[in-house]
């Protein structure tokens, strides 16, 4: 099992410089990858290209490029360029986002996301293989019929023969799709005690592949985990409350919030409803307070080195191959210190390689 770093977004000011300090520290500690996100603020591609120019060994990953934000051809162009500029260090994470961002920001209907994802990945992979792309699907047709368009081939060659594709998946059917068509899974709100159920869906997808490969050999299981050190475990959990309340309560509508549904499947049905009710009523502090400590502890790395080592062991035994850390300490100096503690904890656990 390897460690990764999730740097999230750029919000403004000098936070991009803090991100760079964290990435350089993670690279020095031997972390395998750093991931950047996008929603409706900073984009991932620009941030990753900037990070790639100032690092040498750590992989750079999109977690995620939003499918409604780019044509599959544009994603293939960006992936190939980033792979070349980083000397073969790029990992392509994809996700359909949610209906509010897809329809409200990108103007793309949020319908049949599984089929759209399948077609999208088909085209991206074909383009990255530098095939002349011809595709006839429900959502994507290349080239368009009865017009002047012609089938084209990507002119820039990635460094690697295959750029690894990851899917951000939450629901059971999307997890199956990740197992079938992707090289890895980007998980969130991951409890090692629940990970086995999620990986069962991924294995079902793997069994649907042409080679009928049900095992997860070569498949990267990435769990994204808040990190906060400290002797007082309750106090360490408090900075994670806003993050958990946002996802469970406010990431989507009342009718369609994939993370709320995940919390329900994890055994927090009543708590998930209360958090969502409060969050959608704009009672954000009350929603944060309503997140149970047990839920926060289950999805996070909290405490000292020994306690974190125990949790890393649990993740490894449950099937995680990469634990991607999101440090929650208030200063960059504290976040750097926490990354060092996590690296020591992985060594102590014996789960790393």
């Amino acid at each position: 099992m390897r460690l990764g770093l999730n740097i999230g977004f750029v919000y403004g000011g000098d936070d991009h410089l803090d991100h760079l300090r964290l990435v350089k520290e993670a690279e020095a500690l031997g972390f395998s990858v750093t991931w950047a996100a996008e929603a409706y603020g900073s984009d991932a591609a620009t941030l990753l290209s900037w990070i790639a120019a100032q690092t040498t060994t750590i992989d750079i990953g999109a977690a995620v490029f939003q499918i409604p934000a780019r044509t599959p051809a544009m994603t293939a162009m960006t992936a190939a360029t980033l792979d070349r500029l980083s000397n073969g260090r790029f990992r392509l994470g994809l996700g359909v986002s949610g209906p509010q961002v897809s329809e409200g920001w990108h103007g793309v209907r949020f319908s049949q996301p599984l089929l759209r994802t399948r077609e999208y990945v088909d085209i991206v992979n074909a383009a990255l293989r530098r095939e002349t792309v011809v595709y006839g699907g429900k959502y994507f047709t290349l080239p368009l019929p009865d017009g002047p368009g012609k089938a084209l081939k990507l002119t820039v060659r990635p460094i690697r023969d295959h750029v690894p594709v990851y899917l951000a998946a939450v629901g059971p059917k999307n997890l199956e799709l990740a197992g079938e068509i992707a090289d890895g899974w980007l998980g969130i709100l991951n409890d090692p005690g629940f990970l086995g159920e999620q990986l069962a869906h991924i294995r079902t997808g793997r069994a649907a592949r042409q080679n009928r490969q049900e095992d997860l050999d070569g498949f990267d299981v990435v769990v994204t985990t808040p990190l906060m050190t400290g002797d007082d475990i309750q106090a360490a959990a408090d900075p994670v409350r806003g993050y958990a309340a946002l996802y469970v309560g406010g990431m989507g509508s009342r009718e369609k919030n994939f993370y709320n549904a995940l919390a329900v499947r994890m055994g927090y049905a009543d708590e998930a409803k209360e958090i969502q009710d409060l969050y959608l009523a704009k009672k954000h502090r009350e929603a944060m307070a309503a997140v149970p400590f047990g839920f926060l502890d289950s999805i996070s790395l909290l405490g000292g080195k020994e306690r974190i080592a125990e949790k890393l062991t649990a993740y490894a035994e449950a099937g995680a191959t990469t634990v991607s850390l999101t440090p929650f300490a208030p200063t960059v100096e504290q976040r750097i210190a926490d990354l060092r503690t996590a690296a020591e904890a992985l060594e102590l656990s014996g789960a790393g390689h």
Side-chain angles (χ1 to χ4, degrees):
M1 191 173 71
R2 304 290 300 277
L3 293 179
L5 170 67
N6 193 316
I7 56 175
F9 311 97
V10 170
Y11 292 104
D14 290 335
D15 61 346
H16 63 291
L17 300 178
D18 289 346
H19 289 334
L20 182 59
R21 288 184 62 187
L22 287 172
V23 172
K24 287 188 171 182
E25 181 64 31
E27 184 173 51
L29 291 169
F31 283 32
S32 64
V33 61
T34 185
W35 304 95
E38 60 185 22
Y40 45 96
S42 61
D43 75 293
T46 306
L47 179 56
L48 290 173
S49 65
W50 185 71
I51 293 291
Q54 300 175 85
T55 55
T56 57
T57 59
I58 194 169
D59 278 10
I60 55 167
V64 295
F65 282 175
Q66 298 170 99
I67 285 175
R70 300 171 180 85
T71 66
M74 184 70 244
T75 289
M77 292 163 61
T78 305
T81 306
L82 282 169
D83 195 60
R84 177 150 291 279
L85 295 180
S86 66
N87 196 29
R89 290 187 284 139
F90 179 62
R91 306 186 192 183
L92 174 58
L94 296 170
V96 291
S97 190
Q100 290 178 321
V101 172
S102 182
E103 299 193 7
W105 186 245
H106 297 301
V108 176
R109 291 294 182 195
F110 191 82
S111 59
Q112 293 187 284
L114 297 180
L115 177 59
R116 192 185 315 114
T117 299
R118 182 185 294 277
E119 292 186 5
Y120 198 97
V121 172
D122 281 347
I123 296 169
V124 168
N125 280 333
L128 289 173
R129 289 192 299 266
R130 302 188 70 247
E131 299 174 1
T132 299
V133 179
V134 177
Y135 196 84
K138 179 175 181 179
Y139 288 96
F140 301 99
T141 301
L142 295 172
L144 290 175
D146 304 321
K150 59 181 290 187
L152 298 172
K153 180 169 69 173
L154 187 67
T155 60
V156 61
R157 187 184 299 274
I159 292 291
R160 290 166 299 172
D161 292 335
H162 177 70
V163 175
V165 173
Y166 291 70
L167 287 189
V170 179
K173 290 299 182 182
N174 210 6
L175 289 167
E176 289 182 19
L177 185 66
E180 182 183 351
I181 70 173
D183 304 293
W185 168 51
L186 298 169
I188 193 170
L189 305 181
N190 294 119
D191 176 353
F194 189 70
L195 194 58
E197 179 174 325
Q198 295 169 301
L199 294 186
H201 294 296
I202 290 176
R203 287 190 175 91
T204 298
R206 296 281 280 182
R209 296 163 70 102
Q210 289 184 350
N211 59 8
R212 310 290 295 178
Q213 182 181 355
E214 294 185 44
D215 63 67
L216 298 182
D217 288 348
F219 187 88
D220 194 9
V221 177
V222 182
V223 296
T224 303
T225 313
L227 169 68
M228 188 71 191
T229 66
D231 295 331
D232 186 335
I233 307 302
Q234 295 278 346
D238 283 341
V240 186
R241 289 186 175 279
Y243 161 85
L246 169 63
Y247 276 88
V248 175
M251 197 68 77
S253 65
R254 186 180 300 277
E255 294 74 25
K256 190 166 287 188
N257 180 327
F258 306 117
Y259 309 99
N260 187 280
L262 173 59
V264 170
R265 293 196 301 275
M266 292 169 67
Y268 293 92
D270 293 340
E271 296 88 343
K273 182 180 185 305
E274 180 184 8
I275 294 164
Q276 186 178 64
D277 288 344
L278 291 167
Y279 204 97
L280 295 181
K282 300 191 182 303
K283 298 179 180 179
H284 297 160
R285 290 185 181 276
E286 291 91 335
M288 290 165 59
V291 180
F293 168 76
F295 180 78
L296 296 170
D297 191 31
S298 72
I299 64 167
S300 306
L301 295 172
L302 306 174
K305 179 171 64 176
E306 290 75 16
R307 194 174 193 270
I308 291 172
E310 292 176 2
K311 187 65 167 289
L312 289 172
T313 298
Y315 274 124
E317 291 175 348
T321 53
T322 301
V323 176
S324 188
L325 307 175
T326 305
F328 272 77
T331 69
V332 67
E333 288 78 14
Q334 288 174 284
R335 295 196 291 274
I336 287 173
D338 286 354
L339 292 182
R340 292 171 180 169
T341 298
E344 293 171 359
L346 181 63
E347 184 176 359
L348 178 63
S349 73
H353 61 81

